[in-house]
Amino acid sequence: MHLLDLPGDDVILKIIDYLSPQDWLNFRCVSKQTYFLVHEYFKYMKYLDLSHHKVLPQALCQVLPQLCHSLKVFKISNSKIFNDECIKTIIQNNHNLNHLDLSNSNLKNGTLQPLVVNCKKLEKILLKNCVWLTVGAIEILAFHFPDTIKVADFSGCTGISEASIILFVKRQPKLTSLSLSDLSCLQDETLVKISQFCPQLMYLDISRCCRITDSGIKKFAEYCHTVRTLKVDGCEVSERSLSWLRSRGVWIDKPQYPSYLLHRLNQIQTWPRTQL
């Protein structure tokens, strides 16, 4: 039995869903019928993940931005397949987009402009290690997506500031996951604002934020009662601030020292200093 003899195009479209991008192109070249079937698949495709594809046929790079109009999830992290204009076209043509992952991409700041105008249902935005991201871009996201974003990742975005992060946090009360690792600009004030304005936060990553101290962690622990995972690896914080969170069942990536060692450490730190 030939593949095209299967009853109904819906069955064939389901099979296309399991093909690789290269297979899409090959299948598209088989006949006029498969050509239109693949284009129909692109038109109604809701999920596109090209994160693991370093190279894509040039023909497909031209077709996908023009034909994809129903995407809800678009992932292209760690990939340099599309240029800025292609990304902008995809964002502009997909008004129902709610998950965008451009992590580790090398784009221009203007790439996100169509996002503000066309994608009002955005809930997840992942921009890890996007050094092209600016303070202005974060501020625009804050003002144009109030109360909608639930997951955000700005880790390693060295072009943004603490003030822009605080502004973003203040306007996103539905945030459940926030990643801000490798941002040397962050201080304790950021944690205070996160605890005040993100009542649904469950995951926070501030790994290697070297200016975060025990004071900030204590204030965060005092006001944020929903957090379940906290990543602080590489931060200059101790068990004196983390122990309170651990007692509430929060998972922390920093190793926990045995209680007897912790007690001994506290004794040493509270010994009176002798005058020299």
Side-chain angles (χ1 to χ4, degrees):
M1 185 178 183
H2 194 275
L3 176 64
L4 298 179
D5 293 332
L6 291 172
D9 291 342
D10 290 343
V11 178
I12 302 176
L13 291 175
K14 285 289 184 182
I15 295 174
I16 297 176
D17 200 30
Y18 290 93
L19 300 179
S20 67
Q22 182 62 55
D23 291 333
W24 291 342
L25 192 61
N26 295 338
F27 189 57
R28 177 173 171 261
C29 298
V30 170
S31 67
K32 184 180 291 188
Q33 185 177 355
T34 59
Y35 178 90
F36 287 110
L37 279 173
V38 172
H39 281 214
E40 191 77 0
Y41 172 76
F42 290 158
K43 184 178 179 180
Y44 294 103
M45 181 169 54
K46 291 181 170 54
Y47 183 96
L48 180 58
D49 185 358
L50 299 174
S51 302
H52 305 291
H53 299 278
K54 301 298 181 182
V55 180
L56 210 62
Q58 187 63 32
L60 209 54
C61 293
Q62 296 173 354
V63 169
L64 284 174
Q66 300 300 327
L67 294 181
C68 293
H69 287 82
S70 302
L71 289 178
K72 290 186 176 181
V73 177
F74 179 43
K75 299 180 181 181
I76 195 170
S77 61
N78 306 302
S79 178
K80 298 180 181 179
I81 295 173
F82 295 123
N83 58 27
D84 300 69
E85 291 304 318
C86 289
I87 299 286
K88 289 172 71 173
T89 301
I90 290 176
I91 294 175
Q92 190 170 358
N93 290 340
N94 292 274
H95 301 280
N96 292 319
L97 196 68
N98 60 34
H99 183 152
L100 178 63
D101 185 357
L102 300 177
S103 299
N104 299 297
S105 60
N106 185 21
L107 303 171
K108 296 179 181 178
N109 191 44
T111 306
L112 297 179
Q113 288 179 352
L115 193 69
V116 174
V117 179
N118 297 284
C119 305
K120 298 300 183 181
K121 298 180 180 180
L122 189 69
E123 294 182 355
K124 298 181 181 181
I125 182 163
L126 309 179
L127 300 172
K128 183 177 181 179
N129 295 328
C130 290
V131 295
W132 47 269
L133 196 67
T134 63
V135 169
I138 297 294
E139 293 174 347
I140 289 173
L141 288 174
F143 282 113
H144 287 272
F145 294 99
D147 305 334
T148 61
I149 296 179
K150 298 179 180 179
V151 178
D153 188 347
F154 303 127
S155 300
C157 297
T158 54
I160 62 179
S161 66
E162 182 184 39
S164 62
I165 291 295
I166 290 176
L167 176 64
F168 178 83
V169 164
K170 284 182 175 180
R171 298 179 64 84
Q172 304 301 333
K174 293 183 179 179
L175 268 178
T176 60
S177 175
L178 180 60
S179 298
L180 301 171
S181 63
D182 299 298
L183 295 178
S184 58
C185 62
L186 296 192
Q187 301 184 64
D188 294 338
E189 181 66 17
T190 307
L191 292 183
V192 174
K193 298 303 180 183
I194 290 173
S195 62
Q196 291 176 345
F197 292 97
C198 300
Q200 301 179 31
L201 190 71
M202 300 181 68
Y203 176 96
L204 178 63
D205 184 359
I206 51 172
S207 304
R208 296 171 297 282
C209 293
C210 55
R211 301 174 75 179
I212 298 294
T213 68
D214 279 329
S215 176
I217 296 294
K218 286 180 179 178
K219 292 176 182 178
F220 176 76
E222 182 178 356
Y223 294 103
C224 186
H225 302 287
T226 57
V227 67
R228 292 293 175 265
T229 300
L230 177 64
K231 291 190 173 184
V232 291
D233 182 46
C235 296
E236 296 296 328
V237 295
S238 67
E239 279 300 317
R240 285 184 294 177
S241 60
L242 298 177
S243 57
W244 193 4
L245 288 164
R246 292 192 200 274
S247 66
R248 287 168 22 196
V250 178
W251 183 87
I252 300 173
D253 62 344
K254 203 176 185 72
Q256 182 179 14
Y257 297 105
S259 57
Y260 70 89
L261 286 179
L262 187 60
H263 176 68
R264 181 63 174 166
L265 180 62
N266 289 333
Q267 282 185 329
I268 295 173
Q269 291 175 340
T270 55
W271 281 349
R273 296 182 179 180
T274 56
Q275 296 292 332
L276 296 178

